[in-house]
Amino acid sequence: MNSNGVIEWAVVESDIGPLLLSATDAGLVSVVFHARPEVREKAVVGQLRTRLGAEPVENPGSARLAEPIRQLAEYFAGSLREFTLDLDWSLTSGFNRQVLRELATGVPYGAVAGYGDLAERVGQPGAAQAVGAAMGSNPLPVVVPCHRVVESDGGLGGFGGGLETKRKLLALEGVLPQPLF
């Protein structure tokens, strides 16, 4: 629960389409792909208000969002390889939070990990499907790089932002060749 009662959010353009960023006093709390108006309404009103029990306020000039916006712009420009942001983990808990924290610290830019590999890293070998569910529920995609988690046979696996978005992020990081067009 967010004690101060305010969540600030803004939509920023990126190479993978509009992203809705929201932050609390604790840090960046969510990143939402494809932030078209109907998605914004659902993400902001539905998820943030309901799950954090606070009132989301649109504030593109927010001091809380300035650094996340700057770092994401540098990431998409190819000049930032590691995010150094305060993160608010309150939209995830338990196993999912454990896996996402391991992903955030243990799978660097330009690298990938398998679902089973991440399960082993958090001491739950055999929990590859649960890791997949954790990736699907990641409230902080791109910053917490669920796009770097792939299938053991080399397949891309699923991705909440869509496979085209996952391909673009992996190409940006040099894991996949850049698309020809």
Side-chain angles (χ1 to χ4, degrees):
M1 188 64 77
N2 182 19
S3 58
N4 72 354
V6 176
I7 305 158
E8 293 180 321
W9 65 275
V11 173
V12 295
E13 285 303 320
S14 79
D15 292 4
I16 54 171
L19 298 173
L20 187 150
L21 309 180
S22 43
T24 64
D25 271 350
L28 188 66
V29 71
S30 97
V31 176
V32 178
F33 291 117
H34 313 303
R36 298 177 302 278
E38 64 277 13
V39 172
R40 294 174 198 184
E41 190 62 22
K42 185 172 172 240
V44 170
V45 176
Q47 188 181 32
L48 294 174
R49 183 182 294 147
T50 306
R51 293 190 59 197
L52 296 177
E55 193 55 43
V57 177
E58 184 172 12
N59 184 0
S62 164
R64 293 177 185 173
L65 292 169
E67 191 59 16
I69 289 169
R70 186 187 71 74
Q71 288 193 27
L72 279 162
E74 286 187 7
Y75 169 81
F76 285 111
S79 59
L80 181 102
R81 290 176 168 239
E82 186 177 350
F83 291 100
T84 54
L85 296 170
D86 290 330
L87 301 178
D88 179 337
W89 294 94
S90 48
L91 289 174
T92 184
S93 61
F95 178 79
N96 288 4
R97 184 185 293 191
Q98 191 183 3
V99 170
L100 291 169
R101 283 182 175 267
E102 173 58 34
L103 172 65
T105 57
V107 184
Y109 185 100
V112 292
Y115 295 95
D117 176 45
L118 267 181
E120 281 182 28
R121 289 190 198 193
V122 297
Q124 298 286 331
Q129 279 189 311
V131 167
M135 295 305 108
S137 71
N138 180 6
L140 293 158
V142 184
V143 176
V144 176
C146 52
H147 60 276
R148 296 180 190 152
V149 182
V150 295
E151 293 174 349
S152 56
D153 64 5
L156 280 180
F159 192 61
L163 289 183
E164 192 50 40
T165 300
K166 187 170 189 172
R167 279 190 198 95
K168 284 182 181 172
L169 291 169
L170 290 171
L172 172 71
E173 296 187 10
V175 175
L176 289 176
Q178 286 287 349
L180 296 175
F181 48 87

